Amino acid sequence: MKEQILSFLPPEYPWKDRLFVFPELDSTNNRLKVLASQGAPHGTVLIADRQTGGRGRMGRSFLSPPGVGIYMSILLRPECAPQELMHLTCAVAAAMCRAVECAAGLRPGIKWTNDLVYDRRKLCGILTELSIEAETRTVDYVVAGIGVNCNQTAFAPEIADVAASICMETGRPVDRSLLANAMLRQMLALARELQSGRAAWLAEFAAHCITIGQPVQIIRGDTVREAFAEGIDGEAALLVRYPDGTREAVNSGEVSVRGLYGYVT
């Protein structure tokens, strides 16, 4: 698979020697965080054909069977303070929408803040993890993990109503190497424009975010409040309005948001 991915990349792609493909890992994010702590360079990418311990937000598992998906993590080393990366997950989601459209002709929507969806079923999950340098309190590294359901033809009954694959939605298999190539190209563009293109990334995210304009539930522990999602702000927080007219900017690290269609972000 590595040779096929590399064959699609342009000669000027700068991270060819930083791409590693494995038949199996417990978690591409876990492995890449270890490599990052050992000094792996900016732009290092791990791809696994299968994960035995794939993870999503809030400790949830991400099913990663062999031969049908792309399970990728990329290491970024932006020189900035952590608060300057509040938009990172949204930017990755927008970049992955571009990649899926380029490789498969399908433009997903985005469920705030980190899932790609089509017809309200999940195609892709994103997990970004950050490490801070203890002395300077600046970012040491960021690992962005991306799992895409490519060629599954069915899912277990307990998730069949909320999960989908590109193949199921388009009616034809997607070339995983071609999609991985598109993902790498878009992540390179994101890395180069992470700060300078911040407003543009957030605008693109908002344009394709299916949560905006919908009733939602804001869940903090055992507390659930009904609200209406009105937009996102410059820090990628979800702007919501409650029935009493009060408004709040909701941060993804603080709460879960449930839409009318079911599953929790």
Side-chain angles (χ1 to χ4, degrees), residues 1 28 30 46 63 122 133 139 144 187 215 217 223-224 244 251 257 264:
M1 186 178 186
T28 55
N30 286 352
L46 304 186
L63 295 177
K122 182 174 178 177
E133 210 287 325
V139 174
M187 287 303 297
Q217 293 178 327
T223 302
V224 180
D244 63 3
N251 186 284
V257 174
V264 179

Side-chain angles (χ1 to χ4, degrees), residues 29-265:
N29 265 33
N30 286 352
R31 178 66 66 90
L32 192 50
K33 286 191 294 181
V34 171
L35 295 177
S37 68
Q38 297 171 346
H42 175 76
T44 299
V45 176
L46 304 186
I47 298 175
D49 185 57
R50 176 177 183 257
Q51 293 184 120
T52 58
R55 298 179 294 112
R57 285 187 65 235
M58 300 185 176
R60 301 186 186 97
S61 62
F62 184 88
L63 295 177
S64 311
V68 292
I70 295 176
Y71 317 113
M72 173 190 293
S73 294
I74 183 166
L75 173 65
L76 304 177
R77 293 190 181 273
E79 297 179 357
C80 65
Q83 58 267 28
E84 295 179 63
L85 294 179
M86 298 298 291
H87 66 301
L88 176 62
T89 300
C90 290
V92 174
M96 292 305 98
C97 279
R98 292 182 185 179
V100 171
E101 183 174 32
C102 177
L106 177 75
R107 182 74 185 198
I110 306 170
K111 183 171 70 64
W112 185 87
T113 179
N114 66 326
D115 287 345
L116 270 58
V117 297
Y118 192 83
D119 194 24
R120 297 189 172 184
R121 296 195 296 170
K122 182 174 178 177
L123 294 175
C124 168
I126 296 165
L127 176 64
T128 55
E129 299 184 272
L130 179 148
S131 177
I132 300 172
E133 210 287 325
E135 293 186 5
T136 64
R137 306 304 297 171
T138 58
V139 174
D140 183 11
Y141 66 80
V142 174
V143 170
I146 307 151
V148 186
N149 297 331
C150 296
N151 291 326
Q152 291 91 334
T153 56
F155 289 90
E158 59 268 25
I159 61 170
D161 59 337
V162 296
S165 71
I166 295 173
C167 179
M168 292 168 66
E169 298 301 336
T170 62
R172 59 185 183 277
V174 62
D175 185 327
R176 291 189 299 151
S177 295
L178 186 61
L179 177 56
N181 170 273
M183 292 165 67
L184 291 174
R185 289 173 184 246
Q186 292 301 329
M187 287 303 297
L188 175 61
L190 183 150
R192 289 173 169 171
E193 304 164 2
L194 185 57
Q195 296 301 338
S196 64
R198 178 191 182 103
W201 284 115
L202 284 173
E204 186 171 345
F205 175 91
H208 297 285
C209 180
I210 66 168
T211 307
I212 296 172
Q214 299 295 324
V216 295
Q217 293 178 327
I218 307 300
I219 305 168
R220 287 185 172 94
D222 295 330
T223 302
V224 180
R225 296 185 68 186
E226 304 291 331
F228 184 82
E230 295 187 319
I232 63 168
D233 68 10
E235 302 300 319
L238 185 67
L239 302 174
V240 300
R241 183 183 74 248
Y242 294 106
D244 63 3
T246 60
R247 288 178 165 85
E248 182 182 16
V250 175
N251 186 284
S252 62
E254 300 172 344
V255 302
S256 291
V257 174
R258 187 187 298 272
L260 293 183
Y261 46 91
Y263 68 104
V264 179
T265 65

